[in-house]
């Protein structure tokens, strides 16, 4: 019986493993190419949050006033970069979780409507794709002292 080939099962375990590996590889490649393609280049990631990074470097006191930062973007990718750039704050991507009575910092890639926020909020256009919304006199004063012009919501 020594040296007799295995003739028991028609499917070899190696074939099953190879098929599963191919399926997992295909799923990974599809996910990256389909969902991450706009941000596959690290330059695109940086450009989507570069003004926030610069603001954080210049004005750390603004981010010390809150434990949460709200980030609103139609794509999910940049939220991870914001979390990387502001590691000591919780970055929340759902505006429904906001408590409008707290002093909040909201970063958005698009103009938010007046219906979502109350009249205490004002905004600063940081660059072409980043808008910072703040409320509370301390946050507004810090931005004004840094040379930013606050705009009321319309």
């Amino acid at each position: 019986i020594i040296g007799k080939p295995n003739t028991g099962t028609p499917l070899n375990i190696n074939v099953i493993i190879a098929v599963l590996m191919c399926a997992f590889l295909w799923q990974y490649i599809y996910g990256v190419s389909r969902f991450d393609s706009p941000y596959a280049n690290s330059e695109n990631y940086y450009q989507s949050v570069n003004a926030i990074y610069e603001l954080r470097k210049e004005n750390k006191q603004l981010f010390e006033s809150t434990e949460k930062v709200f980030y609103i973007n139609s794509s999910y990718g940049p939220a991870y970069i914001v979390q990387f750039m502001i590691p000591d704050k919780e970055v929340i991507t759902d505006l429904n979780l906001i408590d409008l009575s707290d002093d909040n910092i909201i970063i958005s890639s698009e103009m938010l409507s007046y219906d979502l926020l109350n009249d205490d909020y004002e905004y600063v256009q940081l660059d072409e794709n980043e808008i910072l919304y703040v409320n509370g006199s301390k946050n507004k004063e810090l931005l004004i002292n840094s040379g930013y012009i606050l705009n009321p919501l319309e």
Side-chain angles (χ1 to χ4, degrees):
I1 301 203
I2 296 176
K4 184 177 178 184
N6 184 3
T7 59
T9 59
L11 287 178
N12 191 343
I13 191 72
N14 292 334
V15 172
I16 294 172
I17 291 174
V19 169
L20 286 175
M21 294 288 287
C22 288
F24 287 132
L25 183 63
W26 177 85
Q27 187 272 337
Y28 175 77
I29 291 171
Y30 177 78
V32 168
S33 64
R34 173 74 170 100
F35 300 110
D36 291 342
S37 61
Y39 297 99
N41 182 349
S42 63
E43 184 67 21
N44 289 337
Y45 270 127
Y46 177 72
Q47 292 299 325
S48 65
V49 296
N50 63 332
I52 294 301
Y53 176 71
E54 294 300 325
L55 178 66
R56 168 115 172 146
K57 280 187 356 184
E58 294 169 3
N59 197 341
K60 291 185 180 191
Q61 295 172 336
L62 177 67
F63 291 90
E64 290 174 359
S65 67
T66 184
E67 293 298 314
K68 301 174 186 173
V69 174
F70 291 86
Y71 182 74
I72 310 302
N73 192 319
S74 58
S75 179
Y76 72 92
Y80 296 109
I81 302 301
V82 172
Q83 184 66 74
F84 179 74
M85 290 185 177
I86 310 173
D88 57 331
K89 305 298 176 196
E90 180 182 3
V91 176
I92 301 173
T93 58
D94 186 1
L95 201 54
N96 294 323
L97 300 175
I98 196 167
D99 182 1
L100 294 175
S101 63
D102 289 346
D103 286 351
N104 295 304
I105 296 174
I106 304 170
I107 306 161
S108 179
S109 62
E110 55 199 38
M111 290 295 292
L112 299 177
S113 70
Y114 181 76
D115 299 338
L116 296 174
L117 304 173
N118 61 28
D119 57 354
D120 189 35
Y121 282 85
E122 295 186 42
Y123 73 93
V124 174
Q125 182 83 37
L126 298 175
D127 66 11
E128 67 276 352
N129 64 342
E130 292 172 84
I131 304 165
L132 177 71
Y133 295 88
V134 294
N135 67 340
S137 58
K138 183 179 177 186
N139 289 343
K140 292 177 184 179
E141 185 178 324
L142 285 170
L143 287 170
I144 290 170
N145 290 341
S146 296
Y148 291 97
I149 299 172
L150 295 173
N151 303 300
L153 290 178
E154 299 171 356

